[in-house]
Amino acid sequence: MPSQEPLLLRHHRPFLAFWFARIFTASGFQMLTVAIGWNLYQLTGNVLDLGLVGLVEFAPRVLFMLHTGHVADRYDRRKVAAICQSLQALIALALAIGSATDHVTREMIFILAFLLGAARSFEMPTTQALLPSIVPSALFPRAVAAAQSAQQSATIVAPALGGLLYAFGSVWVYGPTVILYVIACTLMLNLPARQTPLNKGKATLDSLLAGIRFIRSRPDILGAISLDLFAVLLGGATALLPVFAKDILLTGPWGLGLLRSAPAVGALMMSLFLARFAVERNVGRVMFTAVGVFGVATIAFGLSTSFWFSLAVLVVLGAADMISMVIRASFVQLETPDEMRGRVSAVNGLFIGASNQLGEFESGLTAHWFGTVPAVVMGGIGTLVVTGTWIKLFPTLANRDRIHVPVEEVKV
């Protein structure tokens, strides 16, 4: 019965292990990012270096996009994720030892940031492809929402904890981060073994490109993935929050911190709600409505001159984005055969990363050309235009009733 499903999810031991591994590795990454940023700025005092670190971390996602998916499909996903988490633990350990001996340099941070990005570029599609194999398909949308609650909780709490610990010295951040990654690695290795036979094929160019071909051959999957790319690309206003905080909302660093946390708070609350009450019918209409609300919230934020109203609008924005993300992620994973999930997740991950990174660039560029408020308002309008256009281009996705129809329910 539907009312029993949340109880089953809470008592599903493999998922609980996956959930805790997710929260530990996400917390470790957030704390590591805070510490690396502070450490680098203390060393160089150069703001540009902070931007370069983000670029260096993102570069492996582009360089290894085709290979990350193939690895996730060819090898034991538990072991791949555990190796990636072990590498991140070693990175944190190297920084801890370097901090304790006062041997951390700018060059060392950039090299380790690249390795961190490489480890995460393999870890993300692997863990995304792993989740459908450890929970029943009926519970999967709730599992995605619950997994996202772990991610959002880490996004809210871990940076503050990392900043607090950094007051005692950078080693006090790097040391606990090592422990978090080791625990995540242990939990990941204790997940049940993969039931589907491994893809033993060689890593040819044809197999590496199979994920892209599969997405192109499935219009609904292509529509869902590309909707997120263009909607976030145009509607993202995160990069301009410092300008709004200082010049428009007339607040200080504390206000900026609240503005940055507000979307994550909305996303966390919505993910907890969706983990209990999954969207089961009219999923296409709900997803497109959520993207539309995201665009309207972006416009409202751009026009607002009230700090508290802006804060509330950002909470709504984060909640709407979470609805769209859970439906899209559930749909893409369940509609993709297990032997293809790694490669499809790798392409999807690149789209998500590109929308966030390029979205910040687009926001900065349009703000430079037209002004901060017009840039955000035009971005929100652009999101609404994309939503309407995608409804016309992908009508079966817009009219989709359920996320996934199990094979046994399909009438022959």
Side-chain angles (χ1 to χ4, degrees):
M1 295 175 62
S3 60
Q4 293 177 319
E5 289 181 353
L7 181 63
L8 290 173
L9 182 60
R10 288 197 298 268
H11 289 274
H12 198 278
R13 294 184 64 182
F15 174 75
L16 290 178
F18 179 90
W19 191 88
F20 280 110
R22 181 74 174 266
I23 201 168
F24 286 135
T25 191
S27 298
F29 174 71
Q30 293 292 336
M31 292 172 62
L32 201 56
T33 300
V34 169
I36 285 175
W38 276 106
N39 207 339
L40 181 62
Y41 193 63
Q42 282 184 327
L43 285 172
T44 68
N46 189 345
V47 178
L48 179 60
D49 282 343
L50 299 179
L52 290 176
V53 165
L55 183 62
V56 167
E57 287 183 7
F58 177 71
R61 188 176 296 183
V62 179
L63 293 175
F64 305 131
M65 179 193 73
L66 297 176
H67 299 280
T68 56
H70 187 83
V71 168
D73 287 333
R74 187 177 184 185
Y75 300 101
D76 189 329
R77 290 168 183 160
R78 302 171 306 159
K79 294 179 180 179
V80 173
I83 290 172
C84 293
Q85 290 156 1
S86 299
L87 176 58
Q88 292 171 82
L90 291 175
I91 291 169
L93 180 62
L95 287 166
I97 295 174
S99 297
T101 59
D102 198 25
H103 282 86
V104 175
T105 65
R106 176 179 181 271
E107 291 72 21
M108 174 184 177
I109 289 178
F110 277 115
I111 292 172
L112 292 178
F114 181 85
L115 294 176
L116 178 64
R120 283 177 56 79
S121 69
F122 281 89
E123 180 191 18
M124 291 176 66
T126 301
T127 53
Q128 288 175 6
L130 179 63
L131 182 56
S133 65
I134 63 174
V135 295
S137 60
L139 291 177
F140 187 67
R142 289 184 171 89
V144 172
Q148 282 301 313
S149 72
Q151 181 73 34
Q152 297 302 327
S153 298
T155 302
I156 295 170
V157 176
L161 178 60
L164 178 64
L165 292 174
Y166 199 94
F168 299 97
S170 58
V171 69
W172 287 94
V173 184
Y174 297 134
T177 300
V178 175
I179 298 174
L180 290 175
Y181 278 122
V182 170
I183 296 174
C185 176
T186 303
L187 289 170
M188 195 63 64
L189 289 174
N190 284 326
L191 291 177
R194 185 176 183 177
Q195 300 300 317
T196 305
L198 296 175
N199 177 9
K200 297 296 185 178
K202 295 182 179 180
T204 64
L205 180 61
D206 184 68
S207 67
L208 294 175
L209 294 174
I212 297 176
R213 289 199 305 272
F214 177 83
I215 291 173
R216 290 182 59 187
S217 69
R218 302 295 193 279
D220 284 3
I221 294 179
L222 176 62
I225 293 177
S226 58
L227 174 66
D228 175 72
L229 170 63
F230 289 102
V232 176
L233 176 65
L234 295 173
T238 304
L240 301 178
L241 287 181
V243 182
F244 275 90
K246 182 177 183 296
D247 299 333
I248 297 174
L249 303 177
L250 304 178
T251 183
W254 66 273
L256 174 60
L258 290 178
L259 290 173
R260 285 192 175 276
S261 298
V265 170
L268 174 60
M269 292 190 297
M270 183 54 67
S271 66
L272 293 174
F273 177 82
L274 293 175
R276 179 64 180 85
F277 304 101
V279 179
E280 297 179 347
R281 307 305 295 264
N282 299 315
V283 295
R285 187 179 306 170
V286 172
M287 182 180 69
F288 278 98
T289 300
V291 177
V293 171
F294 179 90
V296 172
T298 300
I299 296 172
F301 174 76
L303 296 175
S304 173
T305 57
S306 165
F307 173 75
W308 296 109
F309 179 75
S310 297
L311 208 61
V313 166
L314 288 176
V315 171
V316 173
L317 183 149
D321 188 44
M322 178 56 60
I323 295 173
S324 170
M325 192 286 303
V326 168
I327 293 176
R328 185 179 62 254
S330 302
F331 166 68
V332 171
Q333 290 293 336
L334 290 177
E335 290 295 303
T336 303
D338 184 67
E339 65 272 12
M340 290 290 300
R341 282 180 178 143
R343 282 164 285 183
V344 171
S345 295
V347 178
N348 189 27
L350 180 65
F351 273 44
I352 294 172
S355 65
N356 292 328
Q357 299 289 332
L358 295 179
E360 292 184 2
F361 174 73
E362 180 270 338
S363 296
L365 189 62
T366 53
H368 176 72
W369 285 345
F370 306 109
T372 302
V373 171
V376 174
V377 172
M378 287 189 297
I381 294 173
T383 297
L384 295 178
V385 172
V386 167
T387 303
T389 303
W390 257 239
I391 290 175
K392 297 293 185 181
L393 291 176
F394 303 95
T396 57
L397 177 62
N399 295 320
R400 193 177 184 88
D401 183 46
R402 298 172 65 179
I403 289 177
H404 178 64
V405 180
V407 175
E408 58 269 20
E409 294 186 21
V410 177
K411 295 181 180 180
V412 181

